[in-house]
Amino acid sequence: GSSAMAAVRDVEIDPEGTFKYILVRLQRPGGGEQRDIVRGTKAAEFHNHIFEKVNPEMEKLGYECKCLGGGKIEHNSKDKKIRVFGLSTGYGKADHSVTVEILKKEYTDYEITWSDDKK
């Protein structure tokens, strides 16, 4: 069972720029294994656009999805820096410290910071 969960990437964000992101909890129906993933893209005008894309993909794999909140990510690939900040009007503010820990798994050589700043 865990192979399907392993196939889901921890992080899928745009390689550059400032964009909206959400923190999503995946869970097997009836409890069992769960994990949190980060998804963000400039293509999304609103946070729910990201969720509406992720949710059906994950349901196909047999997961229930819950959005734990959102914010913004500023990704500077040249300087290898990521800044997590802001919030989602619809979903509330994600726990950015959790997001940073997940990002660190993928971007091991980056400087990754977060704040509750709006901008």
Side-chain angles (χ1 to χ4, degrees):
S2 59
S3 56
M5 197 170 248
V8 177
R9 293 176 51 194
D10 289 320
V11 179
E12 283 182 19
I13 59 172
D14 286 1
E16 188 66 44
T18 301
F19 44 84
K20 291 183 167 66
Y21 94 88
I22 57 172
L23 186 60
V24 179
R25 174 154 293 163
L26 306 183
Q27 187 149 14
R28 286 279 182 224
E33 52 178 344
Q34 62 171 44
R35 65 184 269 218
D36 299 340
I37 59 170
V38 174
R39 295 291 183 267
T41 177
K42 275 194 282 250
E45 191 184 346
F46 300 105
H47 286 90
N48 62 304
H49 292 170
I50 309 173
F51 189 73
E52 282 159 15
K53 187 176 171 295
V54 173
N55 198 31
E57 289 174 10
M58 297 305 151
E59 281 183 342
K60 275 198 205 97
L61 296 171
Y63 296 110
E64 292 171 347
C65 290
K66 188 169 94 184
C67 184
L68 301 178
K72 284 188 169 174
I73 286 176
E74 186 183 291
H75 189 172
N76 181 335
S77 53
K78 187 168 66 72
D79 294 341
K80 296 200 169 179
K81 283 184 180 170
I82 293 177
R83 186 169 74 99
V84 185
F85 64 101
L87 52 82
S88 159
T89 319
Y91 295 121
K93 186 176 80 70
D95 185 339
H96 296 327
S97 64
V98 172
T99 302
V100 166
E101 289 311 309
I102 298 170
L103 289 169
K104 280 179 180 170
K105 290 196 249 181
E106 184 85 15
Y107 297 95
T108 49
D109 56 345
Y110 268 61
E111 181 191 321
I112 306 175
T113 57
W114 69 272
S115 78
D116 288 329
D117 297 346
K118 299 280 190 287
K119 302 190 174 327

